Amino acid sequence: MKTVELQVFLDEARIELRTLEQWVAQRWVVPAETEQLELSETDCARILLIRELKGDFGVNDEGVDLVLHLLDQLHGMRALVASLRGELQAQDD
């Protein structure tokens, strides 16, 4: 998994470190557990989504919780469907 240089990302995304730390504390972003905060490309995409939800759309914290929960459910369902599709194709072969 590719990690992203934290400060470079924060500068480009116009996000302060303390804001990111709050989002991590709220478990909106769950980076790999290491000594330092390391972000994957997926983490970065999620952070940008949160920034857009809060900044561009004015979604409050409860709304962000809901959107992220639904997004996680959708991602889980897509993975399940892909797995089932693979199993069905294996049975057909």
Side-chain angles (χ1 to χ4, degrees):
M1 176 178 4
K2 183 178 176 187
T3 59
V4 177
E5 174 62 37
L6 179 63
Q7 194 57 52
V8 172
F9 171 74
L10 292 176
D11 291 343
E12 290 176 2
R14 299 178 316 278
I15 298 173
E16 294 184 15
L17 179 59
R18 71 172 175 245
T19 299
L20 176 58
E21 289 171 340
Q22 290 171 346
W23 294 351
V24 170
Q26 289 174 282
R27 311 270 312 149
W28 289 351
V29 180
V30 184
E33 297 205 17
T34 60
E35 288 183 26
Q36 295 180 324
L37 187 61
E38 291 185 14
L39 301 175
S40 69
E41 290 179 339
T42 303
D43 294 330
C44 292
R46 192 170 178 102
I47 290 165
L48 293 174
L49 172 64
I50 295 166
R51 187 196 69 197
E52 286 183 24
L53 289 171
K54 291 186 72 60
D56 296 346
F57 298 109
V59 177
N60 64 18
D61 287 356
E62 292 80 16
V64 172
D65 278 335
L66 178 63
V67 168
L68 294 176
H69 175 72
L70 293 172
L71 185 65
D72 291 341
Q73 282 188 330
L74 180 61
H75 180 71
M77 291 300 295
R78 288 181 67 196
L80 178 61
V81 168
S83 174
L84 290 173
R85 185 180 299 136
E87 288 179 22
L88 289 173
Q89 287 177 348
Q91 287 178 359
D92 287 344
D93 293 341

